[in-house]
Amino acid sequence: MARLRRRLWAWLLAGFLTIAALTLYQAERTGRSEPVAGSCPESALECPGEEKPLPLPVPVEPSASPSASASPSPSATPASPSPTPPPGSSAPPPSSAPGPACNATSPGACGFPDSRSTGPRIALKRHDTGNMSIKTDGTVIKGWDIYGSLDVYADNVTIIDSRITSTNWWGVNLRPGFKGLRVLHTTITAVPGKGPDNGGVNYAVSNMGESSVEVGWCDVSVFGNALSMGQGDLHDNYVHDIVAFRNLGGEWQHTDAVISGGGNKGRLTVRHNTLLNSVPIDKGASAALGLFADTGVVSNVIVDNNWLAGGAYALYGGGPGATGILVTDNVFSTQYHPKSGLYGAVAAWNAGGAGNVWRGNRMSDGRPVVPEPSP
């Protein structure tokens, strides 16, 4: 009888322990499968203390010109997908246009890029490269704090989560005949008074080729014509604090946050950027976004959902002959001038050009912007 009681108590104890273990396991599994309140959403560009992985192909090892003082050791990292519209598309995809009015002096307060949403997201390691030439296809430079500039003679080069401080004509330059350059989550600046053009510097990112260049989530400052290209995908960038300088001829260098000289064979997309030009007019300020027919007719350009301020006019729209220019849902800020640019928000808009569209553009106080008829 005693033996039977002992067996009964043993079975009861074993059952109790089994139930307790199952309960703890279920609680732990449930806690792992449910999101924690206040956790960083997967759609966020960055999360505190975390680096969000980005999908990039595995690159080959880089090579640099002998002038580079640091041996290249970039690590492969995935990169953000490009928001460029599908090939052949004639209209921009839907955009999240800003509200009817936003009088804040900070573009970030109105949902546009600023120093908090651009630049590198990881710790950097210093590299005193000088003017380094990249000649290996698929090179990825990540986590570099570069004192120098990058001259790209290769295809599919990616610079990501880095900082470039240049004293050269440019920060990053893509040479003719090469393609696929991407500059993402990078700060690009220069040392005023140390550049080759009488102490000035010209281009943060220059596209000398005939293929698209992607520049996204970058913090850009100092350079006179910061982002210079006829075709490319410029998105989510913060261009600010351009520095005026006289060129070697003693003339003030014209300054633009984004500049395109026309004659492009591909598409230029400028979407969801903050483009500021605070340089005074008498020291060369031209535009926040200048589409100029300097080297040919301007065509096939999308300007969508940007914050624009400064220059003689905040936007130059391509001039006579410009076609396929879509300017939609942009905010023209009065933070430097009551009219956004000193003389107005927009000039050189060809309202009769084939495929040109002007829609949903407004001042930061909500007033619609209507281009004046071209002379």
Side-chain angles (χ1 to χ4, degrees), residues 62-74 127-136 139-142 144 146-153 157-159 164 166 168 170-175:
S63 68
S65 66
S67 62
S69 61
S71 58
S73 57
H127 289 74
D128 294 310
T129 65
N131 181 28
M132 187 174 86
S133 294
I134 300 175
K135 297 183 178 180
T136 299
T139 296
V140 173
I141 289 180
K142 177 183 176 183
W144 286 27
I146 295 170
Y147 283 73
S149 60
L150 301 177
D151 213 0
V152 180
Y153 295 85
V157 171
T158 297
I159 298 107
I164 299 170
S166 175
N168 204 348
W170 58 80
V172 183
N173 183 36
L174 180 67
R175 290 289 180 170

Tab-separated table of all heavy atoms in Angstrom, residues 62-74 127-136 139-142 144 146-153 157-159 164 166 168 170-175:
chain	number	residue	atom	x	y	z
A	62	PRO	N	38.708	45.319	-54.232
A	62	PRO	CA	39.039	46.548	-54.940
A	62	PRO	C	40.533	46.660	-55.197
A	62	PRO	O	41.342	46.038	-54.543
A	62	PRO	CB	38.589	47.632	-53.962
A	62	PRO	CG	38.783	47.002	-52.628
A	62	PRO	CD	38.456	45.559	-52.814
A	63	SER	N	40.864	47.529	-56.174
A	63	SER	CA	42.254	47.912	-56.362
A	63	SER	C	42.314	49.409	-56.441
A	63	SER	O	41.365	50.056	-56.839
A	63	SER	CB	42.810	47.295	-57.643
A	63	SER	OG	42.199	47.871	-58.772
A	64	ALA	N	43.418	49.991	-56.056
A	64	ALA	CA	43.549	51.439	-56.054
A	64	ALA	C	44.823	51.816	-56.780
A	64	ALA	O	45.720	51.004	-56.998
A	64	ALA	CB	43.585	51.956	-54.616
A	65	SER	N	44.888	53.094	-57.182
A	65	SER	CA	46.096	53.571	-57.820
A	65	SER	C	47.230	53.594	-56.822
A	65	SER	O	47.023	53.667	-55.619
A	65	SER	CB	45.840	54.984	-58.357
A	65	SER	OG	45.637	55.862	-57.288
A	66	PRO	N	48.489	53.561	-57.304
A	66	PRO	CA	49.617	53.547	-56.382
A	66	PRO	C	49.667	54.767	-55.487
A	66	PRO	O	50.335	54.755	-54.461
A	66	PRO	CB	50.833	53.500	-57.338
A	66	PRO	CG	50.303	52.932	-58.609
A	66	PRO	CD	48.890	53.395	-58.704
A	67	SER	N	48.961	55.865	-55.869
A	67	SER	CA	49.012	57.072	-55.049
A	67	SER	C	48.264	56.928	-53.746
A	67	SER	O	48.413	57.743	-52.852
A	67	SER	CB	48.433	58.259	-55.830
A	67	SER	OG	47.079	58.013	-56.131
A	68	ALA	N	47.416	55.906	-53.629
A	68	ALA	CA	46.650	55.749	-52.397
A	68	ALA	C	47.578	55.294	-51.288
A	68	ALA	O	48.335	54.355	-51.430
A	68	ALA	CB	45.537	54.721	-52.601
A	69	SER	N	47.458	55.945	-50.140
A	69	SER	CA	48.343	55.632	-49.034
A	69	SER	C	47.800	54.549	-48.137
A	69	SER	O	48.494	54.037	-47.288
A	69	SER	CB	48.613	56.896	-48.209
A	69	SER	OG	47.413	57.394	-47.676
A	70	ALA	N	46.538	54.202	-48.311
A	70	ALA	CA	45.950	53.131	-47.501
A	70	ALA	C	45.615	51.970	-48.407
A	70	ALA	O	45.120	52.152	-49.501
A	70	ALA	CB	44.695	53.635	-46.786
A	71	SER	N	45.867	50.758	-47.949
A	71	SER	CA	45.543	49.593	-48.759
A	71	SER	C	44.064	49.316	-48.677
A	71	SER	O	43.489	49.254	-47.599
A	71	SER	CB	46.327	48.384	-48.266
A	71	SER	OG	46.039	48.142	-46.912
A	72	PRO	N	43.372	49.192	-49.849
A	72	PRO	CA	41.918	49.020	-49.828
A	72	PRO	C	41.525	47.736	-49.122
A	72	PRO	O	42.094	46.689	-49.376
A	72	PRO	CB	41.549	48.963	-51.317
A	72	PRO	CG	42.723	49.561	-52.044
A	72	PRO	CD	43.916	49.248	-51.198
A	73	SER	N	40.543	47.851	-48.243
A	73	SER	CA	40.017	46.663	-47.586
A	73	SER	C	38.537	46.810	-47.340
A	73	SER	O	38.061	46.629	-46.244
A	73	SER	CB	40.737	46.438	-46.251
A	73	SER	OG	40.594	47.580	-45.430
A	74	PRO	N	37.765	47.272	-48.392
A	74	PRO	CA	36.336	47.450	-48.170
A	74	PRO	C	35.639	46.123	-48.000
A	74	PRO	O	36.065	45.114	-48.536
A	74	PRO	CB	35.861	48.155	-49.451
A	74	PRO	CG	36.851	47.754	-50.479
A	74	PRO	CD	38.161	47.594	-49.753
A	127	HIS	N	40.953	56.762	-43.652
A	127	HIS	CA	41.808	56.370	-44.770
A	127	HIS	C	42.295	57.648	-45.456
A	127	HIS	O	41.489	58.380	-46.055
A	127	HIS	CB	41.042	55.513	-45.788
A	127	HIS	CG	40.726	54.136	-45.310
A	127	HIS	ND1	39.747	53.880	-44.371
A	127	HIS	CD2	41.258	52.925	-45.656
A	127	HIS	CE1	39.687	52.571	-44.154
A	127	HIS	NE2	40.589	51.977	-44.915
A	128	ASP	N	43.570	57.934	-45.370
A	128	ASP	CA	44.152	59.083	-46.066
A	128	ASP	C	44.547	58.636	-47.472
A	128	ASP	O	45.691	58.277	-47.738
A	128	ASP	CB	45.362	59.613	-45.294
A	128	ASP	CG	44.963	60.195	-43.949
A	128	ASP	OD1	44.036	61.025	-43.926
A	128	ASP	OD2	45.559	59.816	-42.928
A	129	THR	N	43.606	58.684	-48.381
A	129	THR	CA	43.794	58.080	-49.700
A	129	THR	C	44.451	59.014	-50.700
A	129	THR	O	45.024	58.555	-51.684
A	129	THR	CB	42.442	57.649	-50.286
A	129	THR	OG1	41.648	58.814	-50.513
A	129	THR	CG2	41.717	56.694	-49.358
A	130	GLY	N	44.351	60.343	-50.498
A	130	GLY	CA	44.683	61.240	-51.595
A	130	GLY	C	43.674	61.030	-52.704
A	130	GLY	O	42.544	60.594	-52.470
A	131	ASN	N	44.059	61.341	-53.934
A	131	ASN	CA	43.164	61.095	-55.066
A	131	ASN	C	43.315	59.644	-55.500
A	131	ASN	O	44.241	59.275	-56.213
A	131	ASN	CB	43.499	62.036	-56.228
A	131	ASN	CG	42.576	61.817	-57.411
A	131	ASN	OD1	41.438	61.400	-57.244
A	131	ASN	ND2	43.062	62.085	-58.602
A	132	MET	N	42.387	58.803	-55.061
A	132	MET	CA	42.477	57.371	-55.306
A	132	MET	C	41.674	56.977	-56.533
A	132	MET	O	40.505	57.354	-56.670
A	132	MET	CB	41.957	56.594	-54.094
A	132	MET	CG	42.174	55.098	-54.203
A	132	MET	SD	41.725	54.209	-52.692
A	132	MET	CE	39.980	53.965	-52.969
A	133	SER	N	42.285	56.225	-57.434
A	133	SER	CA	41.609	55.711	-58.623
A	133	SER	C	41.118	54.298	-58.349
A	133	SER	O	41.875	53.453	-57.863
A	133	SER	CB	42.562	55.704	-59.822
A	133	SER	OG	42.916	57.026	-60.186
A	134	ILE	N	39.857	54.036	-58.658
A	134	ILE	CA	39.265	52.711	-58.500
A	134	ILE	C	39.128	52.096	-59.884
A	134	ILE	O	38.452	52.656	-60.754
A	134	ILE	CB	37.896	52.800	-57.799
A	134	ILE	CG1	38.055	53.425	-56.412
A	134	ILE	CG2	37.260	51.420	-57.695
A	134	ILE	CD1	36.744	53.657	-55.696
A	135	LYS	N	39.756	50.938	-60.075
A	135	LYS	CA	39.830	50.345	-61.414
A	135	LYS	C	39.341	48.901	-61.468
A	135	LYS	O	39.536	48.228	-62.472
A	135	LYS	CB	41.272	50.432	-61.924
A	135	LYS	CG	41.751	51.869	-62.072
A	135	LYS	CD	43.162	51.963	-62.641
A	135	LYS	CE	43.581	53.421	-62.822
A	135	LYS	NZ	44.949	53.541	-63.375
A	136	THR	N	38.725	48.427	-60.391
A	136	THR	CA	38.212	47.056	-60.363
A	136	THR	C	36.688	47.070	-60.323
A	136	THR	O	36.093	47.685	-59.429
A	136	THR	CB	38.753	46.294	-59.139
A	136	THR	OG1	40.175	46.246	-59.214
A	136	THR	CG2	38.200	44.879	-59.087
A	139	THR	N	33.767	47.022	-57.051
A	139	THR	CA	34.354	47.475	-55.790
A	139	THR	C	33.287	48.045	-54.868
A	139	THR	O	32.415	48.791	-55.305
A	139	THR	CB	35.429	48.552	-56.052
A	139	THR	OG1	36.489	47.984	-56.795
A	139	THR	CG2	35.973	49.116	-54.746
A	140	VAL	N	33.359	47.695	-53.586
A	140	VAL	CA	32.500	48.282	-52.559
A	140	VAL	C	33.381	48.897	-51.486
A	140	VAL	O	34.256	48.225	-50.939
A	140	VAL	CB	31.569	47.221	-51.924
A	140	VAL	CG1	30.802	47.825	-50.742
A	140	VAL	CG2	30.587	46.688	-52.958
A	141	ILE	N	33.168	50.160	-51.217
A	141	ILE	CA	33.870	50.839	-50.123
A	141	ILE	C	32.842	51.144	-49.049
A	141	ILE	O	31.856	51.844	-49.299
A	141	ILE	CB	34.558	52.117	-50.616
A	141	ILE	CG1	35.754	51.748	-51.485
A	141	ILE	CG2	34.990	52.993	-49.450
A	141	ILE	CD1	36.522	52.926	-52.030
A	142	LYS	N	33.063	50.619	-47.862
A	142	LYS	CA	32.118	50.764	-46.763
A	142	LYS	C	32.870	51.078	-45.471
A	142	LYS	O	33.894	50.469	-45.172
A	142	LYS	CB	31.309	49.483	-46.570
A	142	LYS	CG	30.358	49.547	-45.376
A	142	LYS	CD	29.642	48.220	-45.186
A	142	LYS	CE	28.762	48.275	-43.937
A	142	LYS	NZ	28.109	46.973	-43.685
A	144	TRP	N	34.546	53.770	-44.589
A	144	TRP	CA	35.781	54.531	-44.721
A	144	TRP	C	35.535	56.000	-44.382
A	144	TRP	O	34.553	56.597	-44.837
A	144	TRP	CB	36.331	54.448	-46.143
A	144	TRP	CG	36.962	53.145	-46.505
A	144	TRP	CD1	36.692	51.911	-45.976
A	144	TRP	CD2	37.960	52.949	-47.510
A	144	TRP	NE1	37.466	50.962	-46.579
A	144	TRP	CE2	38.259	51.564	-47.527
A	144	TRP	CE3	38.619	53.786	-48.390
A	144	TRP	CZ2	39.188	51.017	-48.404
A	144	TRP	CZ3	39.553	53.241	-49.259
A	144	TRP	CH2	39.834	51.876	-49.260
A	146	ILE	N	37.291	58.966	-45.501
A	146	ILE	CA	38.281	59.229	-46.548
A	146	ILE	C	38.719	60.688	-46.516
A	146	ILE	O	37.880	61.596	-46.542
A	146	ILE	CB	37.694	58.888	-47.931
A	146	ILE	CG1	37.414	57.386	-48.024
A	146	ILE	CG2	38.606	59.352	-49.054
A	146	ILE	CD1	36.612	56.991	-49.246
A	147	TYR	N	40.017	60.897	-46.474
A	147	TYR	CA	40.584	62.225	-46.681
A	147	TYR	C	41.250	62.185	-48.052
A	147	TYR	O	42.372	61.735	-48.214
A	147	TYR	CB	41.575	62.578	-45.566
A	147	TYR	CG	40.850	62.980	-44.304
A	147	TYR	CD1	40.208	62.030	-43.519
A	147	TYR	CD2	40.752	64.312	-43.924
A	147	TYR	CE1	39.506	62.378	-42.379
A	147	TYR	CE2	40.053	64.688	-42.773
A	147	TYR	CZ	39.435	63.714	-42.014
A	147	TYR	OH	38.729	64.076	-40.885
A	148	GLY	N	40.510	62.651	-49.050
A	148	GLY	CA	40.942	62.554	-50.427
A	148	GLY	C	39.722	62.518	-51.328
A	148	GLY	O	38.652	63.027	-50.967
A	149	SER	N	39.850	61.913	-52.504
A	149	SER	CA	38.742	61.831	-53.458
A	149	SER	C	38.826	60.509	-54.199
A	149	SER	O	39.851	59.828	-54.158
A	149	SER	CB	38.802	63.004	-54.450
A	149	SER	OG	40.026	62.992	-55.171
A	150	LEU	N	37.724	60.158	-54.862
A	150	LEU	CA	37.638	58.870	-55.560
A	150	LEU	C	37.381	59.120	-57.042
A	150	LEU	O	36.399	59.759	-57.417
A	150	LEU	CB	36.519	58.017	-54.962
A	150	LEU	CG	36.643	57.695	-53.468
A	150	LEU	CD1	35.430	56.903	-52.992
A	150	LEU	CD2	37.935	56.932	-53.174
A	151	ASP	N	38.266	58.599	-57.875
A	151	ASP	CA	38.165	58.705	-59.321
A	151	ASP	C	37.849	57.305	-59.844
A	151	ASP	O	38.663	56.386	-59.712
A	151	ASP	CB	39.505	59.200	-59.876
A	151	ASP	CG	39.349	60.060	-61.109
A	151	ASP	OD1	38.201	60.279	-61.531
A	151	ASP	OD2	40.376	60.511	-61.654
A	152	VAL	N	36.670	57.130	-60.433
A	152	VAL	CA	36.158	55.790	-60.727
A	152	VAL	C	36.343	55.453	-62.200
A	152	VAL	O	35.734	56.077	-63.082
A	152	VAL	CB	34.676	55.676	-60.311
A	152	VAL	CG1	34.149	54.281	-60.618
A	152	VAL	CG2	34.505	56.002	-58.831
A	153	TYR	N	37.180	54.442	-62.465
A	153	TYR	CA	37.408	53.899	-63.797
A	153	TYR	C	36.964	52.437	-63.787
A	153	TYR	O	37.729	51.532	-64.164
A	153	TYR	CB	38.884	53.958	-64.155
A	153	TYR	CG	39.483	55.337	-64.290
A	153	TYR	CD1	39.957	56.017	-63.174
A	153	TYR	CD2	39.618	55.943	-65.538
A	153	TYR	CE1	40.542	57.273	-63.291
A	153	TYR	CE2	40.199	57.204	-65.663
A	153	TYR	CZ	40.653	57.863	-64.537
A	153	TYR	OH	41.229	59.100	-64.657
A	157	VAL	N	30.573	50.236	-59.135
A	157	VAL	CA	31.260	50.595	-57.891
A	157	VAL	C	30.239	51.171	-56.917
A	157	VAL	O	29.368	51.955	-57.297
A	157	VAL	CB	32.384	51.607	-58.160
A	157	VAL	CG1	32.954	52.154	-56.854
A	157	VAL	CG2	33.481	50.955	-58.996
A	158	THR	N	30.335	50.779	-55.646
A	158	THR	CA	29.437	51.275	-54.603
A	158	THR	C	30.249	51.870	-53.468
A	158	THR	O	31.158	51.230	-52.949
A	158	THR	CB	28.547	50.139	-54.059
A	158	THR	OG1	27.713	49.646	-55.111
A	158	THR	CG2	27.665	50.648	-52.926
A	159	ILE	N	29.897	53.098	-53.087
A	159	ILE	CA	30.436	53.734	-51.879
A	159	ILE	C	29.267	53.874	-50.921
A	159	ILE	O	28.254	54.495	-51.263
A	159	ILE	CB	31.067	55.097	-52.175
A	159	ILE	CG1	32.252	54.952	-53.141
A	159	ILE	CG2	31.531	55.768	-50.892
A	159	ILE	CD1	31.978	55.426	-54.515
A	164	ILE	N	33.580	61.383	-47.089
A	164	ILE	CA	34.638	61.842	-47.978
A	164	ILE	C	34.882	63.319	-47.704
A	164	ILE	O	33.954	64.134	-47.790
A	164	ILE	CB	34.260	61.630	-49.454
A	164	ILE	CG1	34.044	60.143	-49.739
A	164	ILE	CG2	35.321	62.211	-50.375
A	164	ILE	CD1	33.435	59.863	-51.105
A	166	SER	N	37.211	66.140	-49.269
A	166	SER	CA	38.042	66.307	-50.452
A	166	SER	C	38.710	67.676	-50.485
A	166	SER	O	38.172	68.658	-49.976
A	166	SER	CB	37.189	66.134	-51.708
A	166	SER	OG	37.935	66.397	-52.881
A	168	ASN	N	40.041	68.112	-53.729
A	168	ASN	CA	40.195	67.977	-55.171
A	168	ASN	C	39.039	68.676	-55.872
A	168	ASN	O	38.172	69.278	-55.240
A	168	ASN	CB	40.243	66.488	-55.533
A	168	ASN	CG	40.946	66.237	-56.846
A	168	ASN	OD1	41.209	67.150	-57.619
A	168	ASN	ND2	41.265	64.986	-57.107
A	170	TRP	N	36.626	67.231	-57.112
A	170	TRP	CA	35.415	66.453	-56.845
A	170	TRP	C	35.589	65.614	-55.582
A	170	TRP	O	36.692	65.427	-55.083
A	170	TRP	CB	35.115	65.527	-58.029
A	170	TRP	CG	36.248	64.578	-58.335
A	170	TRP	CD1	36.557	63.408	-57.683
A	170	TRP	CD2	37.252	64.734	-59.340
A	170	TRP	NE1	37.673	62.827	-58.214
A	170	TRP	CE2	38.128	63.629	-59.242
A	170	TRP	CE3	37.489	65.705	-60.310
A	170	TRP	CZ2	39.212	63.467	-60.087
A	170	TRP	CZ3	38.577	65.530	-61.149
A	170	TRP	CH2	39.425	64.436	-61.036
A	171	GLY	N	34.458	65.060	-55.109
A	171	GLY	CA	34.501	64.030	-54.080
A	171	GLY	C	34.527	62.657	-54.718
A	171	GLY	O	35.385	61.825	-54.422
A	172	VAL	N	33.567	62.405	-55.642
A	172	VAL	CA	33.500	61.158	-56.400
A	172	VAL	C	33.254	61.523	-57.861
A	172	VAL	O	32.350	62.310	-58.160
A	172	VAL	CB	32.366	60.234	-55.908
A	172	VAL	CG1	32.374	58.922	-56.675
A	172	VAL	CG2	32.465	59.986	-54.410
A	173	ASN	N	34.025	60.936	-58.761
A	173	ASN	CA	33.896	61.246	-60.173
A	173	ASN	C	33.855	59.953	-60.980
A	173	ASN	O	34.757	59.119	-60.875
A	173	ASN	CB	35.082	62.094	-60.645
A	173	ASN	CG	34.957	62.503	-62.106
A	173	ASN	OD1	33.881	62.766	-62.596
A	173	ASN	ND2	36.085	62.546	-62.811
A	174	LEU	N	32.786	59.772	-61.781
A	174	LEU	CA	32.691	58.621	-62.685
A	174	LEU	C	33.213	59.034	-64.052
A	174	LEU	O	32.704	59.973	-64.673
A	174	LEU	CB	31.245	58.137	-62.802
A	174	LEU	CG	31.038	56.931	-63.730
A	174	LEU	CD1	31.709	55.682	-63.161
A	174	LEU	CD2	29.550	56.668	-63.962
A	175	ARG	N	34.228	58.315	-64.531
A	175	ARG	CA	34.862	58.645	-65.798
A	175	ARG	C	34.049	58.139	-66.994
A	175	ARG	O	33.249	57.202	-66.871
A	175	ARG	CB	36.263	58.035	-65.833
A	175	ARG	CG	37.236	58.708	-64.871
A	175	ARG	CD	37.616	60.097	-65.347
A	175	ARG	NE	38.555	60.768	-64.453
A	175	ARG	CZ	39.168	61.903	-64.758
A	175	ARG	NH1	38.945	62.478	-65.919
A	175	ARG	NH2	39.998	62.475	-63.884
